Amino acid sequence: MSEQSNETGEDRLIDPIASQPGYEETETRIALEGHPIHAMSVAFPIALSFCLLGADLLYWWTGDVFWARAALWAAGTAFFFGVLAGFSGAAELLLVSGIRSRAAAWTHAIIAVTLLSVLGANWGHRLYGYEAAVLPYGILLSGLGAVMVGFTGWHGGKLVFDYRLGTSKGN
């Protein structure tokens, strides 16, 4: 039996990117007291995206104008905080070579920018007539946004928890 046939699948697979300079540099550079700003700032757009969908569903169910107005504010605030989170995420992506070299980070970034586009379109759709904007397009955009938050969050969580990207190494 040859030596080559004794190798496991892991032994034969070599990640060509892992040999690039800076691949192991994954510690956050955009942080406050060692806490990554991007990880802290995504909580608001995530929560507000789900609040937006909830407000739309409650408006559809009750017909109460309060929920349509709440959805307008949730859409605008989710977009605004999403842009702020996007700036810190883009800075991490561009400044940290170990993050930048991984395809999963770019996938997360592309989905997140698409989500921001959906949130911005949803907010813009509501600006001039928030009550009439809910059905059908507002609620459809809110549902799409909630699904995209799930995909973006899953990819972002995978980057942090599986690859340890953007985390502090500690002392």
Side-chain angles (χ1 to χ4, degrees):
M1 195 186 275
S2 73
E3 256 184 66
Q4 207 171 32
S5 63
N6 287 335
E7 291 179 339
T8 65
E10 288 181 33
D11 292 336
R12 288 183 293 210
L13 297 175
I14 297 171
D15 185 357
I17 305 228
S19 63
Q20 296 292 322
Y23 180 79
E24 295 300 323
E25 292 177 28
T26 60
E27 190 168 349
T28 183
R29 290 203 184 156
I30 311 298
L32 185 64
E33 296 291 323
H35 297 280
I37 291 175
H38 180 68
M40 292 188 296
S41 62
V42 297
F44 292 105
I46 290 169
L48 287 164
S49 294
F50 286 109
C51 289
L52 171 59
L53 178 59
D56 279 347
L57 290 171
L58 285 167
Y59 173 75
W60 186 24
W61 185 36
T62 66
D64 188 346
V65 177
F66 167 81
W67 294 113
R69 191 169 43 253
L72 167 71
W73 282 96
T77 310
F79 175 71
F80 176 71
F81 279 110
V83 168
L84 292 177
F87 282 137
S88 61
E92 289 280 15
L93 182 66
L94 297 175
L95 293 175
V96 182
S97 60
I99 295 174
R100 190 174 55 245
S101 65
R102 288 169 167 85
W106 289 97
T107 302
H108 172 67
I110 290 167
I111 297 171
V113 169
T114 307
L115 171 61
L116 281 176
S117 300
V118 169
L119 289 172
N122 201 345
W123 182 41
H125 177 65
R126 296 165 191 270
L127 280 176
Y128 302 103
Y130 54 87
E131 189 175 359
V134 175
L135 296 171
Y137 299 112
I139 201 166
L140 290 172
L141 285 169
S142 297
L144 176 62
V147 168
M148 291 186 74
V149 163
F151 282 117
T152 305
W154 186 82
H155 280 283
K158 189 162 188 61
L159 291 169
V160 171
F161 297 115
D162 290 355
Y163 302 126
R164 308 294 297 159
L165 300 183
T167 58
S168 179
K169 302 282 188 218
N171 292 332

